[in-house]
Amino acid sequence: MPVPFNLAVELDSVLKSAAAAAGLDAAGFAPEVRVADPKHGDFQANGVLSYAKSRKENPRAVAEKLVAALPETVRAQCDVAIAGPGFINFTLKPAALLAWLRTFSNREALTTGAGAAHAGQTWVIDYSSPNTAKQMHVGHLRSAVIGEAICRLLAFTGARVIRDNHLGDWGTQFGKLIYGFKRWADPAALAADPIAELERLYKLGNNATPDGSPELDEARRELVALQNGDPENVALWQKFSEVSLAAFQQIYDRLGIRFDHNLGESFYNDKVERVYRELTDTGLAVESEGALVVFHPEHPRFKSQPFLVRKGDGASNYATTDLATALYRTEHFNADGIVVVTDFRQSDHFEQLILTVKKWFAAKNYRLPEFHHVTFGAVTGEDGKALKTRSGDVIKLKDLLDEAEERAFAIVTEKNPELPENERRDIARAVGIGAVQYADLSQNRSSNYVFSWDKMLALDGNTAPYLLYAVARIHSIFRKAGVNPADTSADAQAAALETAAEIALARKLVKFPDAIRLATESLRPHFLCLYLFELAGDYSSFNNADKVLVDDPAIRARRLLLCARTLLVLETGLTLLGLRTLTRM
RNA sequence: GCGGUGGUAGCUCAGCCGGAUAGAGCAACGGUUUUCUAAACCGUCGGUCGCGGGUUCGAGUCCCGCCCACCGCGCCA
């Protein structure tokens, strides 16, 4: 019998069969297998409690019947015990742990095992999505980091992932920018740092066009000219987009991000008429105070708080383009799932959007993809307020990443002064950027998080340096042994796991699939972070308790096997989070 | 006013459909290295899970009320 990837899922289905064999009402029985507290076992089934309760039976008696009906193959692999009011605990035997570790021996095997979850599905992920002609700042960090991790998790679990950067590249601000550009553009500054110059020109344009002024009318005429296809303004707008994307890509390169599409708001310009028409035809949208709006009468708030899909002046807004975008992703990409990653302040908007899409698609008989708004809290300084520079300015993302690398470089230089500078620079890039990414990902994304250089760069605790250090130490052992960690040819010599630290590590390793499942189902990468942190802790304990490179070939082989799999899982997991791992630090 | 998110150890946070004696890290205190990276490991101390009710075999988790913080709520995105 092949070794299953996710043992919890396997036990769940085994218990369902056992329920039928034991004469239980199998259709009404959910085993509820989950990862157990290690002191009780590896996995625990709690389902008999609610089953027995609803049928007024004795839960322990039900559990005993169920356990008696378990196939011999399960008993061969696990110790099974009934505990407390009727929990069923499964503790894997060392031989079963070893069998799993031998089976899932490389990235391909893990990918194949995990790939069943979203096999054959297409998911469109909308993240980062900055405004063109503006620099990315600290507020753009979380969407990019969380979005990329979600992309990688979905791809790992079998989905075809389409990364779409939904740029803010349209709207009234371009009239003011063109107005400023035509008057004050500095060619030298434009060549040196185009985005900074565009930002300066926008500010000049904005300041020069106060409400009610003839200058504002002029800026509006520039916008109308752009929208009507005036060649000069269109060329300028295209230039703004090009230099913006080039600048964004410099940030994305450092974060390991590469988009498949940059379909910004402008792309949907010619697609909004259909939205108006279909929402009106289906009766979903109505005129209100001169605008076209959608109410949701069944909703406590949106029955009176409108979703405004066309402004009173006839222009579209972001609700319109977001509706057009949802349709395009469904029809053109054939999406099974759509994920939009933005901060929590847009929750109302996306709740209204999703409600509207559901009704609209149902009325038109369009296939409805899963639609998730992945929200995240604010990044704050240690005072709990929005993160700013000392002078109170917005922190540019480029400066933040630079500082991360500089701080990491100082630490590497202090710890390992003998390494050549270019290697210390390379380590500092991986550790510094990784620290920023990991700090963002390791916390439940719903809450705000406090940005602290000292905490994210610490070598203790749930941090990127701690995990990267564990990886580097394992590589160090293989260097000393003169063995390639990917080489599995000596695995057969591995004796059964024996010491407490070996077994604890192996028991943690086999739970990787559950961490992937949790993180992916909930679109919350922190579940994977927590798992990797615990795994690194178990590895460090093992590393401290048991010497790997001992003379006894059987012991050496099994410990090298454990090291190799720990390395595999840590590197796979960190890669899924978007981090780059190191062989030395 | 309506709604969203949060409130768990001194600090920063986990706690997956309700499950066993609520867990980590930091800080504090005490240990461990002739050793594969001590950037490590082990231990001790630390809790009225915001407050009050309720549901039940069982509540940090679900329901009701209240308090506090942040955020959103008609033509910005």
Side-chain angles (χ1 to χ4, degrees):
Chain A
M1 195 179 93
V3 178
F5 179 62
N6 189 322
L7 297 165
V9 169
E10 176 70 10
L11 276 173
D12 206 85
S13 90
V14 166
L15 279 166
K16 274 227 151 221
S17 307
L24 273 61
D25 171 16
F29 173 66
E32 290 180 35
V33 174
R34 66 187 61 185
V35 170
D37 184 325
K39 67 190 168 199
H40 297 126
D42 289 306
F43 301 100
Q44 176 176 72
N46 292 341
V48 292
L49 288 165
S50 53
Y51 177 90
K53 182 182 176 182
S54 66
R55 286 163 182 75
K56 302 206 186 319
E57 295 180 38
N58 179 336
R60 284 197 70 110
V62 174
E64 274 163 30
K65 274 201 281 188
L66 202 53
V67 167
L70 283 172
E72 202 45 48
T73 50
V74 171
R75 297 183 168 287
Q77 291 173 58
C78 313
D79 292 320
V80 183
I82 300 170
F87 307 119
I88 306 175
N89 292 324
F90 300 87
T91 307
L92 290 161
K93 294 179 179 176
L97 294 168
L98 196 56
W100 192 93
L101 295 177
R102 282 183 169 137
T103 302
F104 297 98
S105 61
N106 54 48
R107 185 73 63 91
E108 291 66 37
L110 294 177
T111 306
T112 304
H118 293 102
Q121 297 185 11
T122 297
W123 284 66
V124 178
I125 320 300
D126 170 342
Y127 64 113
S128 185
S129 306
N131 293 326
T132 59
K134 288 186 185 167
Q135 303 193 66
M136 292 179 80
H137 56 80
V138 64
H140 294 105
L141 178 66
R142 298 204 81 181
S143 178
V145 169
I146 293 168
E148 180 61 26
I150 286 174
C151 286
R152 293 180 183 212
L153 281 166
L154 287 168
F156 186 66
T157 53
R160 168 181 169 243
V161 168
I162 296 171
R163 292 163 163 86
D164 186 13
N165 198 4
H166 193 67
L167 299 163
D169 62 354
W170 203 247
T172 52
Q173 71 270 27
F174 286 97
K176 292 177 178 178
L177 175 57
I178 289 171
Y179 180 93
F181 189 95
K182 286 184 174 176
R183 281 159 185 79
W184 300 296
D186 174 351
L190 212 51
D193 189 346
I195 298 268
E197 174 65 359
L198 291 181
E199 253 182 13
R200 186 184 72 93
L201 294 170
Y202 171 76
K203 281 178 192 158
L204 287 174
N206 191 40
N207 291 339
T209 55
D211 283 351
S213 65
E215 289 81 6
L216 182 60
D217 291 337
E218 180 60 26
R220 284 188 176 138
R221 277 194 289 278
E222 297 287 10
L223 179 66
V224 171
L226 170 65
Q227 290 173 336
N228 290 339
D230 172 74
E232 185 186 3
N233 283 12
V234 168
L236 279 179
W237 175 83
Q238 281 171 345
K239 184 175 175 59
F240 300 158
S241 292
E242 277 167 31
V243 300
S244 300
L245 277 174
F248 298 157
Q249 193 56 47
Q250 290 180 3
I251 300 281
Y252 296 147
D253 284 345
R254 299 170 78 177
L255 296 172
I257 296 172
R258 188 157 287 275
F259 284 98
D260 301 303
H261 300 281
N262 294 289
L263 301 178
E265 289 166 348
S266 65
F267 177 78
Y268 297 96
N269 259 337
D270 60 356
K271 298 174 178 61
V272 297
E273 284 303 325
R274 180 175 166 195
V275 175
Y276 302 142
R277 190 175 64 245
E278 295 194 358
L279 289 182
T280 306
D281 288 351
T282 55
L284 284 168
V286 295
E287 295 280 344
S288 168
E289 298 177 25
L292 189 66
V293 307
V294 177
F295 290 103
H296 296 285
E298 78 289 1
H299 194 279
R301 192 158 24 103
F302 303 144
K303 64 185 176 194
S304 55
Q305 182 181 322
F307 190 48
L308 220 145
V309 299
R310 189 176 60 204
K311 301 194 284 185
D313 64 2
S316 63
N317 64 1
Y318 77 130
T320 332
T321 51
D322 279 358
L323 287 163
T325 303
L327 182 62
Y328 184 80
R329 288 172 178 164
T330 304
E331 291 187 334
H332 183 264
F333 292 125
N334 215 10
D336 298 287
I338 297 172
V339 176
V340 180
V341 187
T342 78
D343 77 83
F344 66 108
R345 287 174 301 198
Q346 298 189 37
S347 296
D348 273 6
H349 167 73
F350 280 97
E351 200 179 333
Q352 289 173 305
L353 177 70
I354 291 171
L355 276 173
T356 305
V357 165
K358 277 183 182 163
K359 292 178 184 175
W360 171 26
F361 283 20
K364 298 297 288 186
N365 215 13
Y366 300 150
R367 192 178 48 82
L368 182 71
E370 273 185 54
F371 200 139
H372 300 274
H373 179 219
V374 166
T375 65
F376 51 84
V379 181
T380 73
E382 305 204 36
D383 57 358
K385 293 177 183 163
L387 194 61
K388 294 268 172 68
T389 63
R390 283 207 184 82
S391 54
D393 296 330
V394 172
I395 296 174
K396 294 170 192 164
L397 197 42
K398 175 183 181 299
D399 294 342
L400 183 120
L401 298 180
D402 287 348
E403 182 167 357
E405 291 183 9
E406 281 308 314
R407 284 173 179 266
F409 182 73
I411 294 170
V412 177
T413 299
E414 181 199 336
K415 301 290 183 187
N416 273 319
E418 74 284 1
L419 290 174
E421 172 162 355
N422 61 348
E423 187 172 352
R424 279 182 280 134
R425 288 281 171 203
D426 184 60
I427 291 168
R429 273 194 292 277
V431 172
I433 304 293
V436 170
Q437 293 170 305
Y438 193 84
D440 195 324
L441 294 167
S442 60
Q443 190 169 318
N444 187 336
R445 58 176 167 75
S446 298
S447 39
N448 293 352
Y449 97 88
V450 179
F451 193 94
S452 162
W453 288 117
D454 290 342
K455 286 202 168 94
M456 72 177 69
L457 286 166
L459 284 305
D460 302 303
N462 191 4
T463 66
Y466 178 77
L467 291 171
L468 294 173
Y469 178 64
V471 168
R473 287 178 93 183
I474 300 174
H475 276 292
S476 172
I477 291 176
F478 281 100
R479 269 196 303 275
K480 178 158 182 183
V483 173
N484 178 348
D487 180 2
T488 56
S489 59
D491 286 3
Q493 296 172 37
L497 305 173
E498 212 169 77
T499 70
E502 289 169 358
I503 289 171
L505 179 56
R507 289 174 71 188
K508 182 62 77 176
L509 283 167
V510 305
K511 283 149 196 157
F512 176 61
D514 193 70
I516 293 291
R517 179 192 62 77
L518 265 177
T520 309
E521 279 181 1
S522 60
L523 302 174
R524 291 183 190 273
H526 79 282
F527 285 115
L528 178 56
C529 295
L530 184 65
Y531 169 80
L532 294 174
F533 172 57
E534 289 175 353
L535 175 62
D538 286 339
Y539 173 76
S540 292
S541 301
F542 158 77
N543 184 73
N544 201 256
D546 296 335
K547 186 170 168 62
V548 175
L549 301 179
V550 293
D551 291 337
D552 185 320
I555 296 175
R556 181 186 169 104
R558 75 172 187 240
R559 290 185 183 164
L560 276 173
L561 173 70
L562 282 170
C563 286
R565 295 309 180 270
T566 305
L567 184 63
L568 172 68
V569 170
L570 285 176
E571 289 191 326
T572 301
L574 289 168
T575 301
L576 289 174
L577 296 171
L579 275 72
R580 182 164 68 90
T581 60
L582 297 160
T583 57
R584 195 193 309 270
M585 68 181 267

